[in-house]
Amino acid sequence: MNPLDRYETLVDDVDAFRAACDRPLPSVVRTNRIKASPVRVRDAFDEAGVAYDPVDWHDGLFRLPDGNPGGNWPHLHGWTHGQEEVSVLPALALDPQPGERVWDACAAPGSKTTQIADAMDDTGTVVANDNNLGRLSALRHNAERLGVTNAIVTNQDARNFSTKPLAFDEFDRALVDAPCSCEGTCRKNPDVLDEWTLDHVHGVAGIQKGILTRAIQATRAGGTVVYSTCTFAPEENEAVLDHALANEACEVVPFDLPLETAPGVTEWEGEEYDESVTRARRVYPHHNDTGGFFCAKLRVGGPDDHAGETEVAR
Amino acid sequence: MSDPDHDLEPDADHEPANDGQRFDRLPATPADREVAGRASREEVLDWWEERFGIGRDFLDGYSFWEKGAGKVWVFNGEADDPSRVEAIGMTFLRTRQEHWKPTTRAVQRFGGHATRNVVELDPERASRFAAGEDQDLPDWDGDWGYLIVAHRIAGGTAPIGVGLYLYDELRSVVPKGSRADLPVVDR
């Protein structure tokens, strides 16, 4: 069975959805502002004759119609990083600020960690964790290539993450870009559809709930947690949020993304979810000609607890 | 070259030793040194200033850590005792050898502030350097040893990596995994 069949009841235009999922994705690079401005990257592409198209919703992104994102001077200098367009969204939602303490719970291979470091002007501390040591070496390579100096890399199970190696015991913000069934990446890697099983969806949903729970617990009251996946499966998206809402002091908050999205769903295969999950954003491939994605922003602490929102000067 | 003098401290049974598996903060000055052979923060800052003219203005906000035999890391965040983490900031400098060697990535990150020992290559030479080729460079009249190798790109100069200059030859020490065959871009 093609798992995309399951989601036809969720999308507005089934034919456009299926057609978009069948098209390959262009190569995209993100400007690393730690080392260069988008203008300088563009100038370097111009003088080398590298074809590129701007992305209208983000001035640091360039589509490379001829592919080969690593075969040019800006890449060698660490001015650019190959990163799918939708993969830029969770760090935009997280909106980390210079000087903060940020946790990237499932960080490898580091696209989002390095984007977070960039947004923090390479100041403060971003803790990049992953349970897979092999993938951490890719993260370290990327962080060094991009010149990130504010990252600490840890190798823990995020569900039981210990802050003991750190100089602090809670974060201002946390990103849970969770391991998932990855159907949203089918335009890049069609094999994910062949390898998909419902058992895996249910299994990974348990892991996702554990990681999101730990992220909420490790973030200060008033802080922000972003939960994202590259799957359309409500079991891995809204159901995970619903579980967190029922068990932890947090709320799903509205936020803006700079492209077309659909709201989270409140019903799926006989299950009902908290109404506030509609504040989560679903990104379907046919809406913006991207991969598929899911992103939610949570505020930690109960509805009456706004005490922690005052910025602490460090 | 401006290699600091590494005083060998007397052996003692309880002398702290360098543990290659953990991160330890560099001592502030040589007088604060407890682990034999470990570079101090002052020596590291002096080295970048003397070798490349990169002053404390640019590096004073960072902390420096040793893991492995002489590998120094540069970090800009908060850390107390990160001894067992996988990485802290980025690799910066190789010490515990006669001539200290900056990393390619450190040179790319901080080398733009250098005022000396920077060799600027023309487009053809820059491509050969990035590919890992050694090349004759008889015209260089600066210091021997590790240099910052740069080229012109997009309206400015940008460091590519580290070269080792010896006997009229510039050796590329760009690590294998970071080399690239890039087109010659005439500017």
Side-chain angles (χ1 to χ4, degrees):
Chain A
M1 154 197 154
N2 185 331
L4 298 178
D5 297 345
R6 308 171 84 215
Y7 309 119
E8 294 195 345
T9 57
L10 298 180
V11 298
D12 56 343
D13 183 338
V14 170
D15 292 341
F17 170 64
R18 297 304 289 255
C21 288
D22 284 341
R23 287 196 299 273
L25 273 182
S27 286
V28 176
V29 295
R30 170 176 58 81
T31 303
N32 173 36
R33 286 178 166 86
I34 293 173
K35 286 188 165 180
S37 65
V39 170
R40 198 164 188 209
V41 170
R42 212 179 51 208
D43 288 350
F45 284 157
D46 282 339
E47 65 187 15
V50 175
Y52 63 90
D53 296 315
V55 172
D56 58 9
W57 55 270
H58 192 299
D59 72 344
L61 296 180
F62 299 99
R63 294 187 182 133
L64 303 184
D66 299 333
N68 197 15
N72 52 63
W73 280 102
H75 181 270
L76 181 114
H77 284 295
W79 295 358
T80 58
H81 179 67
Q83 184 171 357
E84 199 182 331
E85 278 178 59
V86 283
S87 156
V88 170
L89 297 176
L92 294 180
L94 191 68
D95 194 24
Q97 301 297 309
E100 288 187 330
R101 298 159 172 170
V102 179
W103 187 32
D104 189 353
C106 315
S111 296
K112 294 156 191 103
T113 302
T114 54
Q115 186 188 352
I116 289 167
D118 183 345
M120 296 164 74
D121 293 339
D122 200 26
T123 67
T125 307
V126 54
V127 177
N129 178 72
D130 206 277
N131 69 342
N132 183 322
L133 201 55
R135 280 163 55 85
L136 273 186
S137 73
L139 180 149
R140 285 182 46 192
H141 178 84
N142 285 324
E144 294 233 334
R145 197 177 63 76
L146 301 183
V148 172
T149 66
N150 71 340
I152 290 180
V153 178
T154 59
N155 178 215
Q156 296 188 35
D157 182 333
R159 293 171 290 185
N160 307 308
F161 185 80
S162 165
T163 56
K164 195 159 173 266
L166 308 179
F168 44 83
D169 55 13
E170 61 180 12
F171 294 95
D172 297 304
R173 297 173 204 261
L175 171 62
V176 178
D177 184 51
C180 71
S181 54
C182 299
E183 303 133 340
T185 66
C186 63
R187 298 181 64 180
K188 198 170 58 181
N189 179 19
D191 291 347
V192 297
L193 300 178
D194 298 327
E195 292 158 8
W196 187 95
T197 68
L198 193 56
D199 279 349
H200 177 250
V201 169
H202 290 144
V204 81
I207 296 168
Q208 291 158 344
K209 287 170 185 168
I211 299 173
L212 179 56
T213 296
R214 182 68 192 114
I216 293 164
Q217 293 168 351
T219 300
R220 66 172 171 83
T224 297
V225 175
V226 166
Y227 178 77
S228 63
T229 70
C230 51
T231 176
F232 306 111
E235 296 95 331
E236 300 179 55
N237 292 328
E238 289 86 349
V240 175
L241 298 178
D242 187 71
H243 178 268
L245 289 167
N247 294 285
E248 301 298 324
C250 65
E251 58 182 331
V252 182
V253 295
F255 66 108
D256 291 322
L257 289 178
L259 36 58
E260 184 182 347
T261 61
V265 299
T266 54
E267 290 179 37
W268 177 250
E269 299 196 333
E271 300 284 324
E272 289 194 12
Y273 309 127
D274 189 279
E275 185 64 27
S276 69
V277 303
T278 56
R279 293 170 172 172
R281 313 314 305 168
R282 291 181 153 261
V283 181
Y284 290 114
H286 58 297
H287 284 161
N288 311 279
D289 197 19
T290 62
F293 214 71
F294 178 87
C295 190
K297 184 168 185 169
L298 292 87
R299 190 186 154 280
V300 175
D304 300 324
D305 179 11
H306 289 260
E309 288 188 352
T310 312
E311 283 301 311
V312 182
R314 295 194 178 102
Chain B
M1 285 178 64
S2 54
D3 195 44
D5 182 23
H6 286 181
D7 294 340
L8 282 179
E9 293 168 39
D11 274 331
D13 288 344
H14 51 275
E15 182 78 19
N18 183 47
D19 177 345
Q21 298 303 308
R22 49 176 286 165
F23 287 96
D24 286 308
R25 190 187 291 263
L26 297 193
T29 69
D32 300 314
R33 179 158 43 220
E34 293 180 1
V35 175
R38 175 165 291 163
S40 71
R41 175 184 174 81
E42 281 301 303
E43 289 164 320
V44 167
L45 291 172
D46 285 347
W47 185 86
W48 284 92
E49 179 140 35
E50 287 166 17
R51 182 79 194 155
F52 297 118
I54 301 176
R56 288 165 188 249
D57 307 358
F58 297 110
L59 294 173
D60 219 12
Y62 296 89
S63 58
F64 304 107
W65 305 76
E66 182 179 24
K67 182 188 179 186
K71 195 187 280 185
V72 171
W73 300 57
V74 57
F75 179 55
N76 198 27
E78 293 174 84
D80 185 11
D81 173 21
S83 55
R84 298 290 166 188
V85 302
E86 299 298 317
I88 174 167
M90 60 187 284
T91 57
F92 189 53
L93 181 65
R94 172 72 75 171
T95 63
R96 293 185 189 266
Q97 54 195 20
E98 185 183 356
H99 300 293
W100 288 7
K101 176 176 174 286
T103 66
T104 295
R105 300 311 183 183
V107 157
Q108 288 189 345
R109 178 70 169 81
F110 299 102
H113 301 299
T115 57
R116 56 178 166 268
N117 286 326
V118 179
V119 56
E120 188 176 305
L121 299 181
D122 65 34
E124 187 268 335
R125 284 179 173 277
S127 289
R128 285 167 53 200
F129 179 83
E133 273 183 45
D134 302 337
Q135 51 191 291
D136 291 335
L137 197 69
D139 295 341
W140 175 252
D141 56 6
D143 287 358
W144 286 25
Y146 293 116
L147 306 179
I148 292 173
V149 176
H151 70 149
R152 297 286 299 173
I153 178 171
T157 300
I160 304 169
V162 180
L164 176 59
Y165 187 80
L166 293 170
Y167 303 104
D168 292 347
E169 185 188 54
L170 181 68
R171 299 183 192 168
S172 174
V173 295
V174 175
K176 282 198 178 65
S178 301
R179 292 178 191 167
D181 289 314
L182 297 176
V184 175
V185 180
D186 284 314
R187 299 180 166 93

